[in-house]
Amino acid sequence: MYSIEELARDIGVSKRYLTRLSTNSDKCYYTYYLRKKGGSKRIIDAPNKELKSIQSWILRNILDNIKIHVRSHGFVKRKSIKTNAKSHLGKKYILCLDIKDFFPSIPYESVLKVFSKRYKSTSVAKCLAALCTYNGYLPQGAVTSPALSNIVFKIVDSQITKLCNDSGIRYTRYADDLTFSCNDMTRLKNLINPMKSILEKYNFNLNKKKTRYYSEKGRMLVTGLLLNTGNLTIGRGKKRILRSMIYNYFVKKDKDININKIIGHLSFLRDIEPYTYEKFLRYCNSLKK
């Protein structure tokens, strides 16, 4: 049976060090706040360097090898907001739901089950679960939290997928954003109550303020991307802002504009709209000259 000694050896630390860290893991976090749109704040519980290093090993060597549901697009290799939104192209109606306090809604017990399925040793499973949780829940800020959330949520994804398949609805999830689409608005409206029941069964709740319905007659927005043209686009507004930033940087020599920020926006544009990216590149080159 795989032991704590073997786990410590594989990680490259002593058993004493690993045991101390897992026992005192709650003391290894610091909390800060990120401002969100609308003025609200997001609480970030971030691990110190010691714990983060161990969590990175757990992510690479354990969690990345555990299968998640195919409908999950967030924090998944070769998937992104692009693959998530692309799944809903061609549909007339879209429903977007948001899970309230997604990471903190996942308790220590659920994380322990993930590791208990992989390791027969209770002490090993408890050690790993302690290293990946904070105050009894999944912390927003730990490098292992995104992967663990996908693994824990797999059973929920399966039940939602079955519900949607039976109703002829397409479903995808990007972290705590749930997206549904079909050509019948009534079906989407009838989906809300069954969805709430499934989520509440597993200790999750909807953020009612973020429930959104979209129609092809208006702007259809999925994880920040527009779908109305039959293709994915970042939207005219974002392109106007980017064009203005480029002009102000090259022509007005505005020192407040960071070139790395422009490069980041261009990189994102290249992934979503390759043809438009080429036009912006030519625009940059013309201004340089």
Side-chain angles (χ1 to χ4, degrees):
M1 185 183 294
Y2 193 69
S3 65
I4 293 287
E5 289 87 348
E6 291 172 300
L7 175 62
R9 183 196 63 204
D10 289 344
I11 294 174
V13 297
S14 68
K15 177 188 175 184
R16 183 180 178 183
Y17 176 87
L18 188 64
T19 303
R20 177 183 63 81
L21 203 59
S22 64
T23 303
N24 299 285
S25 59
D26 282 353
K27 299 177 183 178
C28 297
Y29 287 85
Y30 60 96
T31 300
Y32 63 95
Y33 301 88
L34 286 179
R35 287 196 175 277
K36 298 164 65 176
K37 289 182 179 178
S40 61
K41 295 180 180 179
R42 172 173 292 175
I43 300 174
I44 305 295
D45 299 309
N48 61 19
K49 289 182 179 180
E50 284 184 306
L51 183 56
K52 185 177 180 180
S53 177
I54 300 296
Q55 288 177 349
S56 296
W57 185 93
I58 294 171
L59 176 64
R60 292 192 309 271
N61 295 276
I62 300 175
L63 301 180
D64 280 348
N65 298 318
I66 299 176
K67 287 186 178 181
I68 60 173
H69 201 277
V70 67
R71 299 300 175 92
S72 176
H73 290 257
F75 321 115
V76 183
K77 291 178 181 178
R78 293 181 291 278
K79 287 188 177 182
S80 63
I81 60 171
K82 180 181 179 179
T83 59
N84 183 67
K86 196 173 182 179
S87 302
H88 301 278
L89 281 172
K91 296 298 182 180
K92 293 182 178 180
Y93 305 103
I94 289 173
L95 166 64
C96 294
L97 301 177
D98 181 89
I99 298 174
K100 187 178 181 180
D101 300 324
F102 185 46
F103 284 1
S105 295
I106 299 174
Y108 166 86
E109 290 75 19
S110 296
V111 176
L112 180 59
K113 284 182 182 178
V114 171
F115 293 113
S116 295
K117 287 180 180 179
R118 191 173 180 89
Y119 300 101
K120 293 181 180 180
S121 170
T122 302
S123 59
V124 169
K126 286 184 175 180
C127 175
L128 290 167
L131 291 166
C132 297
T133 53
Y134 171 62
N135 283 344
Y137 60 83
L138 210 58
Q140 179 91 36
V143 296
T144 44
S145 291
L148 277 166
S149 69
N150 281 337
I151 296 167
V152 170
F153 208 81
K154 183 180 179 181
I155 187 171
V156 190
D157 281 328
S158 296
Q159 293 193 22
I160 295 174
T161 299
K162 185 181 185 307
L163 173 66
C164 290
N165 286 345
D166 292 342
S167 304
I169 296 171
R170 190 169 294 171
Y171 161 68
T172 62
R173 179 177 62 84
Y174 190 93
D176 55 359
D177 292 323
L178 314 180
T179 306
F180 308 86
S181 64
C182 70
N183 294 325
D184 186 342
M185 178 62 85
T186 303
R187 291 185 185 181
L188 291 182
K189 290 182 177 180
N190 291 339
L191 184 70
I192 295 291
N193 287 333
M195 269 296 307
K196 285 175 63 179
S197 297
I198 291 175
L199 291 173
E200 288 172 2
K201 179 181 175 183
Y202 294 96
N203 198 45
F204 295 102
N205 293 288
L206 288 177
N207 187 340
K208 296 179 181 178
K209 294 180 181 179
K210 292 189 176 181
T211 297
R212 298 284 185 272
Y213 288 99
Y214 297 101
S215 164
E216 63 178 351
K217 295 179 182 178
R219 296 171 78 251
M220 299 180 77
L221 197 65
V222 175
T223 44
L225 299 177
L226 289 169
L227 284 67
N228 295 78
T229 60
N231 296 297
L232 299 181
T233 172
I234 67 171
R236 293 179 181 177
K238 290 181 180 179
K239 281 183 272 194
R240 278 198 298 267
I241 292 172
L242 177 56
R243 190 178 184 89
S244 176
M245 287 173 62
I246 293 170
Y247 180 84
N248 289 336
Y249 180 82
F250 286 111
V251 178
K252 294 189 174 182
K253 308 296 182 183
D254 190 338
K255 295 180 180 180
D256 291 330
I257 296 176
N258 190 329
I259 186 61
N260 290 322
K261 194 171 183 179
I262 292 176
I263 292 171
H265 283 299
L266 285 172
S267 179
F268 177 64
L269 181 64
R270 179 174 57 186
D271 184 43
I272 306 301
E273 297 182 62
Y275 175 72
T276 308
Y277 164 77
E278 293 296 334
K279 290 170 65 176
F280 268 81
L281 211 58
R282 289 195 293 272
Y283 179 62
C284 287
N285 290 329
S286 67
L287 293 182
K288 285 180 186 179
K289 294 176 183 179

